[in-house]
PDB file of all heavy atoms in Angstrom:
ATOM      1  N   ARG F 121      -8.437  17.447   0.682  1.00  0.00           N
ATOM      2  CA  ARG F 121      -9.812  17.144   1.066  1.00  0.00           C
ATOM      3  C   ARG F 121      -9.851  15.901   1.954  1.00  0.00           C
ATOM      4  O   ARG F 121      -9.033  14.996   1.791  1.00  0.00           O
ATOM      5  CB  ARG F 121     -10.682  16.854  -0.166  1.00  0.00           C
ATOM      6  CG  ARG F 121     -10.606  17.877  -1.269  1.00  0.00           C
ATOM      7  CD  ARG F 121     -11.411  17.405  -2.473  1.00  0.00           C
ATOM      8  NE  ARG F 121     -11.343  18.339  -3.595  1.00  0.00           N
ATOM      9  CZ  ARG F 121     -11.999  18.176  -4.740  1.00  0.00           C
ATOM     10  NH1 ARG F 121     -12.749  17.084  -4.917  1.00  0.00           N
ATOM     11  NH2 ARG F 121     -11.892  19.067  -5.715  1.00  0.00           N
ATOM     12  N   PRO F 122     -10.828  15.804   2.852  1.00  0.00           N
ATOM     13  CA  PRO F 122     -11.049  14.534   3.552  1.00  0.00           C
ATOM     14  C   PRO F 122     -11.696  13.529   2.604  1.00  0.00           C
ATOM     15  O   PRO F 122     -12.540  13.899   1.783  1.00  0.00           O
ATOM     16  CB  PRO F 122     -11.986  14.914   4.708  1.00  0.00           C
ATOM     17  CG  PRO F 122     -12.711  16.125   4.206  1.00  0.00           C
ATOM     18  CD  PRO F 122     -11.739  16.863   3.317  1.00  0.00           C
ATOM     19  N   LEU F 123     -11.295  12.281   2.701  1.00  0.00           N
ATOM     20  CA  LEU F 123     -11.885  11.243   1.866  1.00  0.00           C
ATOM     21  C   LEU F 123     -13.283  10.916   2.387  1.00  0.00           C
ATOM     22  O   LEU F 123     -13.444  10.586   3.563  1.00  0.00           O
ATOM     23  CB  LEU F 123     -11.016   9.989   1.898  1.00  0.00           C
ATOM     24  CG  LEU F 123     -11.455   8.813   1.016  1.00  0.00           C
ATOM     25  CD1 LEU F 123     -11.333   9.192  -0.457  1.00  0.00           C
ATOM     26  CD2 LEU F 123     -10.633   7.567   1.321  1.00  0.00           C
ATOM     27  N   PRO F 124     -14.309  11.017   1.544  1.00  0.00           N
ATOM     28  CA  PRO F 124     -15.667  10.670   2.005  1.00  0.00           C
ATOM     29  C   PRO F 124     -15.734   9.239   2.519  1.00  0.00           C
ATOM     30  O   PRO F 124     -14.999   8.358   2.060  1.00  0.00           O
ATOM     31  CB  PRO F 124     -16.518  10.850   0.744  1.00  0.00           C
ATOM     32  CG  PRO F 124     -15.747  11.785  -0.124  1.00  0.00           C
ATOM     33  CD  PRO F 124     -14.303  11.476   0.143  1.00  0.00           C
ATOM     34  N   ALA F 125     -16.616   9.015   3.473  1.00  0.00           N
ATOM     35  CA  ALA F 125     -16.768   7.679   4.052  1.00  0.00           C
ATOM     36  C   ALA F 125     -17.215   6.671   3.004  1.00  0.00           C
ATOM     37  O   ALA F 125     -16.841   5.497   3.060  1.00  0.00           O
ATOM     38  CB  ALA F 125     -17.758   7.728   5.208  1.00  0.00           C
ATOM     39  N   SER F 126     -18.016   7.103   2.040  1.00  0.00           N
ATOM     40  CA  SER F 126     -18.482   6.235   0.962  1.00  0.00           C
ATOM     41  C   SER F 126     -17.813   6.649  -0.336  1.00  0.00           C
ATOM     42  O   SER F 126     -17.798   7.839  -0.685  1.00  0.00           O
ATOM     43  CB  SER F 126     -20.005   6.322   0.807  1.00  0.00           C
ATOM     44  OG  SER F 126     -20.432   5.632  -0.359  1.00  0.00           O
ATOM     45  N   ARG F 127     -17.267   5.673  -1.064  1.00  0.00           N
ATOM     46  CA  ARG F 127     -16.597   6.013  -2.318  1.00  0.00           C
ATOM     47  C   ARG F 127     -17.567   6.564  -3.358  1.00  0.00           C
ATOM     48  O   ARG F 127     -17.149   7.262  -4.289  1.00  0.00           O
ATOM     49  CB  ARG F 127     -15.848   4.800  -2.871  1.00  0.00           C
ATOM     50  CG  ARG F 127     -16.684   3.584  -3.178  1.00  0.00           C
ATOM     51  CD  ARG F 127     -15.841   2.469  -3.764  1.00  0.00           C
ATOM     52  NE  ARG F 127     -16.615   1.283  -4.078  1.00  0.00           N
ATOM     53  CZ  ARG F 127     -16.766   0.246  -3.284  1.00  0.00           C
ATOM     54  NH1 ARG F 127     -16.196   0.252  -2.090  1.00  0.00           N
ATOM     55  NH2 ARG F 127     -17.490  -0.790  -3.647  1.00  0.00           N
ATOM     56  N   GLN F 128     -18.868   6.266  -3.205  1.00  0.00           N
ATOM     57  CA  GLN F 128     -19.859   6.816  -4.132  1.00  0.00           C
ATOM     58  C   GLN F 128     -19.975   8.339  -4.002  1.00  0.00           C
ATOM     59  O   GLN F 128     -20.489   9.006  -4.906  1.00  0.00           O
ATOM     60  CB  GLN F 128     -21.225   6.174  -3.889  1.00  0.00           C
ATOM     61  CG  GLN F 128     -21.384   4.759  -4.453  1.00  0.00           C
ATOM     62  CD  GLN F 128     -20.660   3.705  -3.627  1.00  0.00           C
ATOM     63  OE1 GLN F 128     -20.439   3.899  -2.435  1.00  0.00           O
ATOM     64  NE2 GLN F 128     -20.308   2.605  -4.268  1.00  0.00           N
ATOM     65  N   ASP F 129     -19.497   8.888  -2.892  1.00  0.00           N
ATOM     66  CA  ASP F 129     -19.577  10.335  -2.676  1.00  0.00           C
ATOM     67  C   ASP F 129     -18.356  11.082  -3.194  1.00  0.00           C
ATOM     68  O   ASP F 129     -18.272  12.304  -3.043  1.00  0.00           O
ATOM     69  CB  ASP F 129     -19.765  10.626  -1.182  1.00  0.00           C
ATOM     70  CG  ASP F 129     -21.100  10.114  -0.654  1.00  0.00           C
ATOM     71  OD1 ASP F 129     -22.067  10.061  -1.453  1.00  0.00           O
ATOM     72  OD2 ASP F 129     -21.186   9.772   0.541  1.00  0.00           O
ATOM     73  N   ILE F 130     -17.403  10.366  -3.797  1.00  0.00           N
ATOM     74  CA  ILE F 130     -16.224  11.024  -4.369  1.00  0.00           C
ATOM     75  C   ILE F 130     -16.603  11.601  -5.722  1.00  0.00           C
ATOM     76  O   ILE F 130     -16.974  10.869  -6.640  1.00  0.00           O
ATOM     77  CB  ILE F 130     -15.063  10.026  -4.515  1.00  0.00           C
ATOM     78  CG1 ILE F 130     -14.686   9.452  -3.149  1.00  0.00           C
ATOM     79  CG2 ILE F 130     -13.861  10.708  -5.175  1.00  0.00           C
ATOM     80  CD1 ILE F 130     -13.686   8.315  -3.231  1.00  0.00           C
ATOM     81  N   ARG F 131     -16.551  12.885  -5.845  1.00  0.00           N
ATOM     82  CA  ARG F 131     -16.992  13.550  -7.073  1.00  0.00           C
ATOM     83  C   ARG F 131     -15.874  13.764  -8.088  1.00  0.00           C
ATOM     84  O   ARG F 131     -16.118  13.831  -9.287  1.00  0.00           O
ATOM     85  CB  ARG F 131     -17.633  14.906  -6.728  1.00  0.00           C
ATOM     86  CG  ARG F 131     -18.879  14.768  -5.852  1.00  0.00           C
ATOM     87  CD  ARG F 131     -20.031  14.167  -6.652  1.00  0.00           C
ATOM     88  NE  ARG F 131     -21.196  13.875  -5.826  1.00  0.00           N
ATOM     89  CZ  ARG F 131     -21.607  12.655  -5.485  1.00  0.00           C
ATOM     90  NH1 ARG F 131     -20.942  11.604  -5.916  1.00  0.00           N
ATOM     91  NH2 ARG F 131     -22.661  12.474  -4.723  1.00  0.00           N
ATOM     92  N   GLU F 132     -14.643  13.917  -7.624  1.00  0.00           N
ATOM     93  CA  GLU F 132     -13.519  14.142  -8.524  1.00  0.00           C
ATOM     94  C   GLU F 132     -12.402  13.176  -8.161  1.00  0.00           C
ATOM     95  O   GLU F 132     -12.088  12.992  -6.983  1.00  0.00           O
ATOM     96  CB  GLU F 132     -13.008  15.575  -8.405  1.00  0.00           C
ATOM     97  CG  GLU F 132     -13.973  16.638  -8.887  1.00  0.00           C
ATOM     98  CD  GLU F 132     -13.347  18.023  -8.789  1.00  0.00           C
ATOM     99  OE1 GLU F 132     -13.288  18.557  -7.668  1.00  0.00           O
ATOM    100  OE2 GLU F 132     -12.901  18.548  -9.819  1.00  0.00           O
ATOM    101  N   PRO F 133     -11.791  12.545  -9.148  1.00  0.00           N
ATOM    102  CA  PRO F 133     -10.686  11.630  -8.845  1.00  0.00           C
ATOM    103  C   PRO F 133      -9.477  12.379  -8.319  1.00  0.00           C
ATOM    104  O   PRO F 133      -9.218  13.531  -8.705  1.00  0.00           O
ATOM    105  CB  PRO F 133     -10.393  10.975 -10.199  1.00  0.00           C
ATOM    106  CG  PRO F 133     -10.848  11.977 -11.207  1.00  0.00           C
ATOM    107  CD  PRO F 133     -12.048  12.653 -10.597  1.00  0.00           C
ATOM    108  N   GLY F 134      -8.747  11.731  -7.426  1.00  0.00           N
ATOM    109  CA  GLY F 134      -7.565  12.385  -6.877  1.00  0.00           C
ATOM    110  C   GLY F 134      -6.612  11.401  -6.251  1.00  0.00           C
ATOM    111  O   GLY F 134      -6.884  10.190  -6.155  1.00  0.00           O
ATOM    112  N   LEU F 135      -5.469  11.911  -5.812  1.00  0.00           N
ATOM    113  CA  LEU F 135      -4.431  11.116  -5.179  1.00  0.00           C
ATOM    114  C   LEU F 135      -4.809  10.838  -3.730  1.00  0.00           C
ATOM    115  O   LEU F 135      -5.351  11.703  -3.036  1.00  0.00           O
ATOM    116  CB  LEU F 135      -3.100  11.863  -5.231  1.00  0.00           C
ATOM    117  CG  LEU F 135      -1.854  11.106  -4.743  1.00  0.00           C
ATOM    118  CD1 LEU F 135      -1.462  10.042  -5.754  1.00  0.00           C
ATOM    119  CD2 LEU F 135      -0.689  12.082  -4.512  1.00  0.00           C
ATOM    120  N   LEU F 136      -4.516   9.634  -3.270  1.00  0.00           N
ATOM    121  CA  LEU F 136      -4.712   9.274  -1.867  1.00  0.00           C
ATOM    122  C   LEU F 136      -3.392   9.449  -1.124  1.00  0.00           C
ATOM    123  O   LEU F 136      -2.344   8.950  -1.553  1.00  0.00           O
ATOM    124  CB  LEU F 136      -5.187   7.821  -1.759  1.00  0.00           C
ATOM    125  CG  LEU F 136      -6.565   7.540  -2.380  1.00  0.00           C
ATOM    126  CD1 LEU F 136      -6.793   6.042  -2.517  1.00  0.00           C
ATOM    127  CD2 LEU F 136      -7.666   8.176  -1.548  1.00  0.00           C
ATOM    128  N   TYR F 137      -3.447  10.144  -0.011  1.00  0.00           N
ATOM    129  CA  TYR F 137      -2.247  10.473   0.752  1.00  0.00           C
ATOM    130  C   TYR F 137      -1.568   9.226   1.300  1.00  0.00           C
ATOM    131  O   TYR F 137      -2.210   8.314   1.822  1.00  0.00           O
ATOM    132  CB  TYR F 137      -2.632  11.390   1.915  1.00  0.00           C
ATOM    133  CG  TYR F 137      -1.518  11.647   2.900  1.00  0.00           C
ATOM    134  CD1 TYR F 137      -0.534  12.594   2.635  1.00  0.00           C
ATOM    135  CD2 TYR F 137      -1.449  10.932   4.103  1.00  0.00           C
ATOM    136  CE1 TYR F 137       0.495  12.832   3.538  1.00  0.00           C
ATOM    137  CE2 TYR F 137      -0.434  11.158   5.015  1.00  0.00           C
ATOM    138  CZ  TYR F 137       0.543  12.108   4.726  1.00  0.00           C
ATOM    139  OH  TYR F 137       1.558  12.344   5.632  1.00  0.00           O
ATOM    140  N   LEU F 138      -0.243   9.187   1.167  1.00  0.00           N
ATOM    141  CA  LEU F 138       0.602   8.195   1.810  1.00  0.00           C
ATOM    142  C   LEU F 138       1.722   8.928   2.539  1.00  0.00           C
ATOM    143  O   LEU F 138       2.255   9.913   2.020  1.00  0.00           O
ATOM    144  CB  LEU F 138       1.196   7.221   0.788  1.00  0.00           C
ATOM    145  CG  LEU F 138       0.206   6.309   0.053  1.00  0.00           C
ATOM    146  CD1 LEU F 138       0.920   5.522  -1.038  1.00  0.00           C
ATOM    147  CD2 LEU F 138      -0.488   5.369   1.028  1.00  0.00           C
ATOM    148  N   PRO F 139       2.093   8.473   3.736  1.00  0.00           N
ATOM    149  CA  PRO F 139       3.030   9.261   4.549  1.00  0.00           C
ATOM    150  C   PRO F 139       4.493   9.112   4.170  1.00  0.00           C
ATOM    151  O   PRO F 139       5.299   9.987   4.517  1.00  0.00           O
ATOM    152  CB  PRO F 139       2.790   8.710   5.963  1.00  0.00           C
ATOM    153  CG  PRO F 139       2.324   7.306   5.757  1.00  0.00           C
ATOM    154  CD  PRO F 139       1.524   7.332   4.481  1.00  0.00           C
TER     155      PRO F 139
END
Side-chain angles (χ1 to χ4, degrees):
R121 310 175 182 183
L123 183 67
S126 172
R127 60 178 180 266
Q128 283 75 26
D129 294 331
I130 300 172
R131 298 290 174 251
E132 293 183 283
L135 187 72
L136 296 166
Y137 172 81
L138 294 174

